[in-house]
């Protein structure tokens, strides 16, 4: 009996360690950008769904904004359409846009919703087109200071969160595909990092978490694999011009979210087991945290006033 008790005591310790964070984030909205190869590994897909359901049962209000790069690449190849990127953004021709929309809304979203709902009837899928959640206009990339047309790639100019708030107030987990409609009726492919950032700001989220395929923001890549654990928005803005193209949209999303009022934004490796829970419920955290405050100081646990339900964004 004693040996059994000793064997299970670490579980109690883990729960107690999470208590301050459970108190801090209870009732708060957390926007999670889900993408990368964690979406294609079967075990990681199931772990992600379990983590999201745990957040919901723990009293948080998770919102998922998903990408689908690997799935889109495979579908474009099947249709004989070349995948190309400029400044970290997918070049999206009208033909490619049809495939992107089909994969994100008809395949990836349904898969994420189905995995979450194995654990309870929580997840509800929606597109950025639904209820005018995202309105976008055409975005151009800049390469060496020159403007480059990258097709039907959109930049979000308006977010209407009424439908998302209604889902959250009903205890649901919104799963959002990152496509948007323009005022002219054209459909746009929106970078999922950017969409998650805009939604986090509009929802007054307590946290934005960007799951990716790297451990975080490297201090001196490729000379070193040391990860910057925390930096301020000003420090991040100074680093942006020298970042690799693939990291730019992710770190720009974190910068925009924190400057827009989200207290914390995180970039972390979604390939690690239960990475989402480790980030939210441990003091050490993992990955890179972006804050508006002074770097290097301790993370303080304090109560924050909850925004009234139904408050306009």
């Amino acid at each position: 009996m004693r040996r059994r008790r000793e064997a299970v005591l670490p579980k109690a310790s883990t729960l107690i360690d999470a208590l301050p964070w459970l108190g801090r984030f209870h009732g708060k909205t957390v926007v999670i950008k889900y993408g990368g190869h964690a979406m294609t590994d079967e075990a990681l897909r199931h772990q992600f769904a379990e983590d999201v359901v745990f957040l919901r049962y723990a009293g948080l209000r998770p919102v998922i904004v998903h990408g689908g790069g690997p799935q889109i690449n495979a579908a474009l190849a099947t249709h004989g359409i070349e995948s190309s990127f400029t400044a970290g953004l997918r070049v999206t021709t009208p033909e490619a846009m049809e495939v992107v929309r089909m994969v994100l809304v008809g395949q990836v979203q349904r898969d994420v919703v189905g995995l979450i709902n194995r654990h309870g009837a929580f997840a509800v899928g929606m597109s950025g087109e639904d209820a005018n959640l995202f309105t976008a206009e055409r975005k151009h990339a800049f390469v060496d200071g020159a403007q480059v047309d990258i097709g039907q790639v959109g930049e979000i100019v308006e977010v209407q969160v009424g439908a998302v708030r209604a889902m959250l107030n009903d205890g649901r987990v919104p799963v959002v595909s990152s496509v948007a409609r323009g005022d002219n009726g054209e459909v746009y492919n929106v970078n999922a990092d950017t969409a998650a950032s805009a939604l986090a700001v509009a929802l007054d989220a307590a946290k934005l978490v960007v799951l990716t395929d790297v451990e975080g923001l490297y201090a001196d890549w490729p000379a070193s694999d040391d990860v910057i654990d925390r930096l301020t928005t000003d420090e991040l803005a100074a680093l942006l011009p020298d970042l690799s193209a693939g990291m730019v949209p992710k770190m720009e999303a974190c910068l925009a979210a924190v400057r827009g009022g989200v207290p914390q934004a995180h970039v972390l490796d979604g390939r690690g087991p239960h990475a989402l829970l480790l980030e939210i419920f441990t003091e050490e955290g993992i990955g890179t945290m972006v804050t508006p405050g002074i770097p290097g100081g301790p993370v303080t646990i304090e109560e924050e006033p909850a925004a009234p339900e139904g408050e306009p964004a």
Side-chain angles (χ1 to χ4, degrees):
M1 182 64 143
R2 182 178 178 181
R3 273 188 287 177
R4 278 173 42 195
R5 184 165 54 245
E6 290 175 349
V8 298
L9 270 176
K11 296 182 179 180
S13 177
T14 300
L15 293 172
I16 293 300
D17 288 343
L19 184 58
W21 309 99
L22 287 167
R24 182 182 185 188
F25 291 114
H26 185 85
K28 303 297 176 63
T29 299
V30 176
V31 175
I32 304 155
K33 187 270 177 163
Y34 177 46
H37 293 282
M39 302 183 73
T40 57
D41 182 283
E42 188 71 15
L44 291 176
R45 288 168 57 240
H46 284 277
Q47 286 183 7
F48 174 77
E50 291 171 349
D51 288 357
V52 170
V53 173
F54 183 93
L55 295 181
R56 166 64 179 75
Y57 277 127
L60 284 75
R61 291 152 57 103
V63 178
I64 315 302
V65 179
H66 69 83
Q71 295 89 337
I72 291 171
N73 289 341
L76 288 173
T78 298
H79 287 79
I81 302 173
E82 181 183 359
S83 292
S84 61
F85 295 83
T86 299
L89 299 171
R90 183 183 298 276
V91 177
T92 310
T93 63
E95 295 77 18
M97 186 65 232
E98 291 184 15
V99 176
V100 168
R101 192 185 194 190
M102 174 187 68
V103 170
L104 291 180
V105 181
Q107 176 187 337
V108 178
Q109 181 196 98
R110 303 317 310 163
D111 182 56
V112 177
V113 167
L115 285 171
I116 293 173
N117 284 344
R118 289 186 182 186
H119 304 279
F122 299 129
V124 178
M126 69 181 299
S127 161
E129 300 174 70
D130 296 334
N132 290 334
L133 174 58
F134 296 140
T135 300
E137 60 185 22
R138 185 175 287 254
K139 179 183 179 70
H140 292 87
F142 288 87
V143 178
D144 297 328
Q147 181 174 289
V148 179
D149 183 14
I150 50 178
Q152 286 177 235
V153 175
E155 183 166 12
I156 295 173
V157 295
E158 184 180 359
V159 184
Q160 297 187 28
V161 294
V164 175
R165 286 194 188 277
M167 290 182 191
L168 290 172
N169 293 340
D170 193 37
R172 307 300 177 185
V173 176
V175 178
V176 180
S177 302
S178 57
V179 295
R181 186 173 292 274
D183 287 333
N184 59 0
E186 190 170 30
V187 179
Y188 291 107
N189 177 22
V190 177
N191 178 271
D193 303 308
T194 305
S197 175
L199 188 55
V201 171
L203 286 170
D204 299 318
K207 188 187 289 278
L208 168 68
V209 179
V210 178
L211 299 178
T212 184
D213 294 336
V214 295
E215 296 177 31
L217 182 61
Y218 294 112
D220 187 22
W221 183 262
S224 168
D225 61 357
D226 291 338
V227 173
I228 301 172
D229 61 354
R230 183 184 306 207
L231 74 170
T232 67
T233 50
D234 290 340
E235 290 169 331
L236 176 55
L239 290 175
L240 273 176
D242 297 321
L243 297 183
S244 63
M247 284 300 290
V248 168
K250 297 170 180 26
M251 300 315 302
E252 283 183 338
C254 291
L255 180 64
V258 176
R259 284 184 169 173
V262 178
Q264 301 172 356
H266 307 254
V267 173
L268 58 137
D269 192 343
R271 298 170 299 177
H274 301 294
L276 188 56
L277 299 187
L278 290 173
E279 180 54 62
I280 293 178
F281 293 124
T282 65
E283 182 174 352
E284 297 82 5
I286 56 176
T288 298
M289 175 195 293
V290 181
T291 72
I294 299 173
V299 178
T300 57
I301 306 298
E302 57 186 19
E303 291 296 329
E304 300 170 359
E309 289 187 353
E311 178 179 322

